[in-house]
Amino acid sequence: MKLTRNGKPLYLQVMSIIKDRILHGMYPVDSTIPSEPQLEQEFEVSKITVRNAIKALVQDGYLETSSGRGTRVIRNTSSSKLSKLKRFTEVLVEEGHQIRKQLLRSELVDNEEGSEPARLFGSRCLRIERLYLLDNHPYIHFKHYVSAELVEVSAADLSAQSLYELLEEQGVVLDKHRDAFAVSVAPPAVREALGLHEQDAACLQRSRFSYGENGELIEYSVGYYNTKLHPYVVNYDG
């Protein structure tokens, strides 16, 4: 994997990718991550870059290093300000599932007049389309909409990291969100991406509105869930 993000130290890029893999179950708790030479080869970086990335993740409490035994994952939940937005993913990972993200496309688009993105962001915005796979089976189809002036991200960034982490890195803090749920017939393109037949077209649809610290709308997304594969779970802390 060639790291392409400009202006950000290489070790931070490697750290972010490894952390994202931990949070999504690719590197489960108590497992050993790939060796330093393997990571050097994958990311095409130096030994010191990989070591600094691992050191940062050890300091953040995700990894533990021991001589002769490799580097072990000891935590797989986020401690960032955005952790509340990741609870469902964390539930799946804690159940032993693996979540893999596939970026379908990321592009500036002209919003259709009268559509929700046009109402929220005006005539033009950044649209990000993702597919989440649960244990290698298509599970969630997301379309995210973000103001075109708000953030600059590349396809390489989005393939490796979550949108929320990228926003946080650029100083855009998500303070709260509002979710609306409905049962809706998935559009044909979404059904195809999720591998659903026409008789299975009715899906759980989640619309999310994410707001910044000053109450401004940062992101709007629409997700379709194949709940026949796994139900949507909400945990309430006492």
Side-chain angles (χ1 to χ4, degrees), residues 62 68 95-96 113 121 126 128 173 175-176 184 189 194 200 224 230:
Y62 291 98
E95 289 180 354
E113 187 174 352
F121 298 111
L126 174 66
I128 300 158
V173 178
D175 184 60
K176 63 180 180 179
S184 178
L194 291 175
D200 300 320
Y224 290 91
H230 192 288

Side-chain angles (χ1 to χ4, degrees), residues 42 105 148 210:
E42 178 185 359
R105 57 188 59 85
S210 301

Side-chain angles (χ1 to χ4, degrees), residues 126-174:
L126 174 66
R127 185 177 68 197
I128 300 158
E129 190 173 350
R130 285 187 192 274
L131 184 66
Y132 279 68
L133 295 98
L134 179 69
D135 302 324
N136 292 320
H137 298 287
Y139 179 43
I140 313 170
H141 180 279
F142 271 125
K143 280 187 180 178
H144 303 265
Y145 300 87
V146 185
S147 170
E149 290 76 32
L150 182 65
V151 63
E152 292 185 6
V153 293
S154 70
D157 294 341
L158 288 164
S159 293
Q161 269 184 279
S162 75
L163 173 63
Y164 295 149
E165 291 284 356
L166 290 169
L167 288 171
E168 186 179 62
E169 286 178 5
Q170 297 187 34
V172 180
V173 178
L174 299 182

